[in-house]
Amino acid sequence: MRGFGVFCKKEIMELFRTYRAILLGGAAMIFGIMSPLIAKLTPWIMEQFSESMQDQGIVIQKVTVTAKDSWMQFDKNFIIFLIIGIAVFSGSYVNEYSKGTLIPLVTKGLTRRAVVLSKLLIQLVAWTIYFALNFGITWGYTAYFWDNSVVKNYLWMGFFYWLTGVFLLTVVAFFSSFLGSPIQVLLGVAGVYILLNMLGMAKKIESFLPIRLLGSASLLSGETVPGDFAVASGITAGVSLILVLLAVTLTRRRKL
């Protein structure tokens, strides 16, 4: 594939030149620290409010925090981290088209397939690294304050959340193949997310949808087991592959 390696290097340099790497790294560290920190501070915060609540006749019981609370906070923070990641990458493709930077590269032999696949590869590698950083910091501080071994299946939850990010990045690639601005791409991704949530209200098909993976925090309490998400994971991976193929096909037909 002509120019694939060269374009990958360009994408890596662009990631740092535009400070997207720093932004994602900062978000990964901040949210990684916040999850166990908020859980750790919860008893103290509740204690501060207890006296004022008692004056109103409301008694706040002593709060006991465990490693599970830290991972539940990770679950709450994840969607914000995911939105930041998608927003950061939403303009990666369409900016190339609007600025016309691909024209000289394509005329020199760079294939459009290489453009899509190299961009997506770097985004997936970046997502994996920053998600691992976010997850790893949460794991480290949670292990320091409590004991991760008492929490069930948090590694599986992490895998399902990572896969959700992979799926949405392929959605970005798909919409970028025919839309003209980052805002339009973001609206497209938001539309897919809303549609999946609406479809997820139908219990009969919920277990088949990619959005099902965002409910994997239920693994922490043992309400579900990893096998309950096997079908949704397989379908998510399959749909992601289809979206990549569609993105490549539509980009080939796109006018530069």
Side-chain angles (χ1 to χ4, degrees), residues 23-38:
L23 175 61
L24 286 173
M29 290 187 287
I30 289 171
F31 287 115
I33 295 170
M34 279 179 60
S35 298
L37 184 61
I38 291 175

Side-chain angles (χ1 to χ4, degrees), residues 69-130:
D69 296 286
S70 177
W71 287 110
M72 289 301 295
Q73 192 62 49
F74 174 86
D75 166 61
K76 295 175 183 177
N77 292 337
F78 172 74
I79 191 65
I80 304 174
F81 179 59
L82 180 60
I83 290 172
I84 292 173
I86 297 303
V88 164
F89 290 120
S90 62
S92 177
Y93 299 87
V94 294
N95 286 338
E96 298 275 9
Y97 304 133
S98 62
K99 295 177 182 178
T101 53
L102 288 179
I103 296 176
L105 296 173
V106 171
T107 55
K108 290 181 180 179
L110 178 68
T111 64
R112 300 192 185 196
R113 179 174 61 173
V115 172
V116 176
L117 296 183
S118 59
K119 278 184 172 291
L120 184 58
L121 174 63
I122 298 305
Q123 290 179 8
L124 292 179
V125 170
W127 167 247
T128 301
I129 291 172
Y130 292 119

